[in-house]
Short mmCIF file of all heavy atoms in Angstrom, two decimals:
data_model
loop_
_atom_site.label_atom_id
_atom_site.label_comp_id
_atom_site.label_asym_id
_atom_site.label_seq_id
_atom_site.Cartn_x
_atom_site.Cartn_y
_atom_site.Cartn_z
N MET A 1 0.81 -1.19 0.00
CA MET A 1 -0.02 0.00 -0.05
C MET A 1 0.86 1.30 -0.01
O MET A 1 0.57 2.25 -0.68
CB MET A 1 -0.94 -0.04 1.26
CG MET A 1 -2.02 1.02 1.16
SD MET A 1 -3.11 0.94 2.63
CE MET A 1 -4.45 2.01 2.10
N GLN A 2 1.99 1.24 0.73
CA GLN A 2 2.90 2.36 0.78
C GLN A 2 3.48 2.59 -0.58
O GLN A 2 3.57 3.75 -1.08
CB GLN A 2 3.96 2.16 1.84
CG GLN A 2 5.05 3.30 1.91
CD GLN A 2 4.44 4.54 2.46
OE1 GLN A 2 3.98 4.56 3.61
NE2 GLN A 2 4.31 5.62 1.64
N GLU A 3 3.83 1.53 -1.34
CA GLU A 3 4.32 1.69 -2.62
C GLU A 3 3.34 2.37 -3.55
O GLU A 3 3.73 3.20 -4.38
CB GLU A 3 4.77 0.30 -3.14
CG GLU A 3 5.44 0.31 -4.49
CD GLU A 3 4.52 0.22 -5.68
OE1 GLU A 3 3.36 -0.28 -5.47
OE2 GLU A 3 4.87 0.75 -6.79
N ARG A 4 2.07 1.96 -3.56
CA ARG A 4 1.02 2.53 -4.29
C ARG A 4 0.83 3.96 -3.96
O ARG A 4 0.68 4.89 -4.87
CB ARG A 4 -0.28 1.78 -4.21
CG ARG A 4 -0.28 0.30 -4.50
CD ARG A 4 -0.16 -0.05 -5.90
NE ARG A 4 -0.56 -1.45 -6.22
CZ ARG A 4 0.26 -2.45 -6.08
NH1 ARG A 4 1.54 -2.31 -5.79
NH2 ARG A 4 -0.20 -3.67 -6.48
N LEU A 5 0.88 4.24 -2.67
CA LEU A 5 0.68 5.71 -2.16
C LEU A 5 1.83 6.51 -2.60
O LEU A 5 1.62 7.66 -3.04
CB LEU A 5 0.47 5.63 -0.65
CG LEU A 5 0.05 6.81 0.04
CD1 LEU A 5 -1.35 7.22 -0.42
CD2 LEU A 5 0.01 6.58 1.56
N SER A 6 3.08 6.05 -2.48
CA SER A 6 4.24 6.87 -2.84
C SER A 6 4.29 7.20 -4.39
O SER A 6 4.97 8.14 -4.77
CB SER A 6 5.49 6.07 -2.45
OG SER A 6 5.55 5.93 -1.05
N ALA A 7 3.60 6.29 -5.15
CA ALA A 7 3.58 6.59 -6.59
C ALA A 7 2.70 7.85 -6.92
O ALA A 7 2.78 8.38 -7.96
CB ALA A 7 3.13 5.36 -7.32
N LEU A 8 1.81 8.19 -5.95
CA LEU A 8 0.90 9.24 -6.15
C LEU A 8 1.39 10.57 -5.46
O LEU A 8 1.16 11.66 -6.05
CB LEU A 8 -0.44 8.87 -5.64
CG LEU A 8 -1.20 7.67 -6.30
CD1 LEU A 8 -2.49 7.38 -5.58
CD2 LEU A 8 -1.41 7.97 -7.79
N ARG A 9 2.06 10.40 -4.37
CA ARG A 9 2.45 11.59 -3.63
C ARG A 9 3.63 11.19 -2.66
O ARG A 9 3.72 10.08 -2.23
CB ARG A 9 1.32 12.27 -2.88
CG ARG A 9 0.52 11.28 -1.97
CD ARG A 9 -0.84 11.92 -1.51
NE ARG A 9 -0.71 13.12 -0.74
CZ ARG A 9 -1.70 13.87 -0.41
NH1 ARG A 9 -3.01 13.56 -0.79
NH2 ARG A 9 -1.55 14.91 0.33
N ASN A 10 4.43 12.24 -2.42
CA ASN A 10 5.60 11.96 -1.57
C ASN A 10 5.54 12.40 -0.14
O ASN A 10 6.45 12.35 0.60
CB ASN A 10 6.83 12.60 -2.21
CG ASN A 10 6.71 14.11 -2.33
OD1 ASN A 10 5.83 14.69 -1.76
ND2 ASN A 10 7.73 14.73 -2.94
N ASP A 11 4.28 12.71 0.30
CA ASP A 11 4.12 13.27 1.66
C ASP A 11 3.29 12.36 2.58
O ASP A 11 2.94 12.78 3.72
CB ASP A 11 3.45 14.61 1.61
CG ASP A 11 2.04 14.62 1.05
OD1 ASP A 11 1.75 13.63 0.36
OD2 ASP A 11 1.25 15.56 1.26
N ALA A 12 2.96 11.19 2.12
CA ALA A 12 2.04 10.33 2.92
C ALA A 12 2.77 8.97 3.25
O ALA A 12 3.36 8.38 2.38
CB ALA A 12 0.74 9.97 2.11
N PHE A 13 2.65 8.61 4.54
CA PHE A 13 3.36 7.48 5.07
C PHE A 13 2.51 6.65 5.95
O PHE A 13 1.72 7.21 6.72
CB PHE A 13 4.67 7.86 5.87
CG PHE A 13 5.52 8.84 5.09
CD1 PHE A 13 5.39 10.22 5.16
CD2 PHE A 13 6.50 8.35 4.30
CE1 PHE A 13 6.20 11.02 4.49
CE2 PHE A 13 7.39 9.17 3.56
CZ PHE A 13 7.20 10.55 3.65
N ILE A 14 2.63 5.32 5.85
CA ILE A 14 1.88 4.39 6.69
C ILE A 14 2.77 3.88 7.81
O ILE A 14 3.90 3.48 7.55
CB ILE A 14 1.34 3.28 5.84
CG1 ILE A 14 0.41 3.78 4.77
CG2 ILE A 14 0.62 2.19 6.63
CD1 ILE A 14 0.02 2.73 3.67
N TYR A 15 2.24 3.80 8.99
CA TYR A 15 2.85 3.13 10.11
C TYR A 15 1.87 2.32 10.87
O TYR A 15 0.64 2.50 10.58
CB TYR A 15 3.64 4.12 11.05
CG TYR A 15 2.76 4.90 11.98
CD1 TYR A 15 2.50 4.50 13.34
CD2 TYR A 15 2.08 6.05 11.58
CE1 TYR A 15 1.73 5.20 14.17
CE2 TYR A 15 1.24 6.75 12.41
CZ TYR A 15 1.02 6.36 13.73
OH TYR A 15 0.31 7.09 14.58
N THR A 16 2.33 1.39 11.76
CA THR A 16 1.41 0.48 12.36
C THR A 16 1.58 0.58 14.00
O THR A 16 2.64 1.03 14.43
CB THR A 16 1.64 -0.94 11.95
OG1 THR A 16 2.85 -1.36 12.43
CG2 THR A 16 1.52 -1.11 10.46
N VAL A 17 0.59 0.11 14.68
CA VAL A 17 0.56 0.06 16.09
C VAL A 17 1.26 -1.22 16.52
O VAL A 17 2.05 -1.25 17.42
CB VAL A 17 -0.82 0.16 16.68
CG1 VAL A 17 -0.76 0.16 18.24
CG2 VAL A 17 -1.54 1.44 16.24
N GLU A 18 0.96 -2.29 15.82
CA GLU A 18 1.41 -3.61 16.26
C GLU A 18 2.12 -4.40 15.15
O GLU A 18 2.11 -5.63 15.19
CB GLU A 18 0.22 -4.37 16.81
CG GLU A 18 -0.45 -3.75 18.03
CD GLU A 18 -1.64 -4.61 18.61
OE1 GLU A 18 -1.79 -5.76 18.08
OE2 GLU A 18 -2.30 -4.10 19.40
N GLY A 19 2.68 -3.70 14.21
CA GLY A 19 3.29 -4.38 13.09
C GLY A 19 4.54 -3.61 12.63
O GLY A 19 5.33 -3.06 13.51
N PHE A 20 4.83 -3.54 11.38
CA PHE A 20 5.93 -2.84 10.82
C PHE A 20 5.41 -2.05 9.62
O PHE A 20 4.64 -2.58 8.82
CB PHE A 20 7.10 -3.75 10.50
CG PHE A 20 8.32 -3.02 9.90
CD1 PHE A 20 9.23 -2.42 10.66
CD2 PHE A 20 8.47 -2.84 8.53
CE1 PHE A 20 10.35 -1.76 10.14
CE2 PHE A 20 9.51 -2.15 7.98
CZ PHE A 20 10.48 -1.63 8.81
N PRO A 21 5.92 -0.80 9.38
CA PRO A 21 6.86 -0.03 10.29
C PRO A 21 6.15 0.55 11.53
O PRO A 21 4.88 0.72 11.46
CB PRO A 21 7.33 1.09 9.34
CG PRO A 21 6.25 1.30 8.43
CD PRO A 21 5.62 -0.05 8.17
N ARG A 22 6.88 0.83 12.55
CA ARG A 22 6.30 1.50 13.70
C ARG A 22 6.65 3.00 13.52
O ARG A 22 7.40 3.47 12.64
CB ARG A 22 6.98 1.06 14.95
CG ARG A 22 6.92 -0.47 15.18
CD ARG A 22 5.39 -0.88 15.43
NE ARG A 22 4.97 -0.57 16.70
CZ ARG A 22 4.96 -1.34 17.79
NH1 ARG A 22 5.53 -2.55 17.67
NH2 ARG A 22 4.48 -1.00 18.95
N LEU A 23 5.98 3.81 14.40
CA LEU A 23 6.19 5.28 14.28
C LEU A 23 7.59 5.68 14.38
O LEU A 23 8.08 6.53 13.57
CB LEU A 23 5.38 5.95 15.41
CG LEU A 23 5.52 7.49 15.52
CD1 LEU A 23 4.98 8.17 14.19
CD2 LEU A 23 4.76 8.09 16.69
N GLU A 24 8.41 5.00 15.21
CA GLU A 24 9.79 5.30 15.43
C GLU A 24 10.53 5.10 14.16
O GLU A 24 11.65 5.75 14.03
CB GLU A 24 10.39 4.41 16.57
CG GLU A 24 9.78 4.73 17.93
CD GLU A 24 8.39 4.11 18.22
OE1 GLU A 24 7.95 3.36 17.27
OE2 GLU A 24 7.90 4.42 19.29
N ASN A 25 10.10 4.18 13.30
CA ASN A 25 10.89 3.91 12.03
C ASN A 25 10.72 5.12 11.06
O ASN A 25 11.48 5.20 10.10
CB ASN A 25 10.33 2.69 11.37
CG ASN A 25 10.53 1.46 12.29
OD1 ASN A 25 9.53 0.80 12.54
ND2 ASN A 25 11.69 1.13 12.67
N LEU A 26 9.74 5.93 11.27
CA LEU A 26 9.49 7.02 10.34
C LEU A 26 10.10 8.37 10.76
O LEU A 26 10.23 9.32 9.85
CB LEU A 26 7.99 7.20 10.09
CG LEU A 26 7.27 6.07 9.39
CD1 LEU A 26 5.77 6.45 9.22
CD2 LEU A 26 7.91 5.69 8.07
N ILE A 27 10.38 8.55 12.01
CA ILE A 27 10.82 9.91 12.51
C ILE A 27 12.03 10.38 11.75
O ILE A 27 12.12 11.55 11.32
CB ILE A 27 10.97 9.90 14.06
CG1 ILE A 27 9.65 9.78 14.64
CG2 ILE A 27 11.62 11.17 14.49
CD1 ILE A 27 9.63 9.70 16.14
#
């Protein structure tokens, strides 16, 4: 889903509460 999203815009990112990536991975 992130790959599809990134193909449309460069300002949107997905993170998860109980999976990967976590918020800390994006900071």
Side-chain angles (χ1 to χ4, degrees):
M1 193 178 190
Q2 180 68 67
E3 185 273 334
R4 303 287 198 275
L5 193 56
S6 297
L8 298 176
R9 51 195 298 172
N10 60 5
D11 63 338
F13 306 92
I14 298 169
Y15 75 99
T16 69
V17 182
E18 299 180 10
F20 180 86
R22 305 296 284 266
L23 177 61
E24 292 80 2
N25 301 123
L26 294 183
I27 290 178

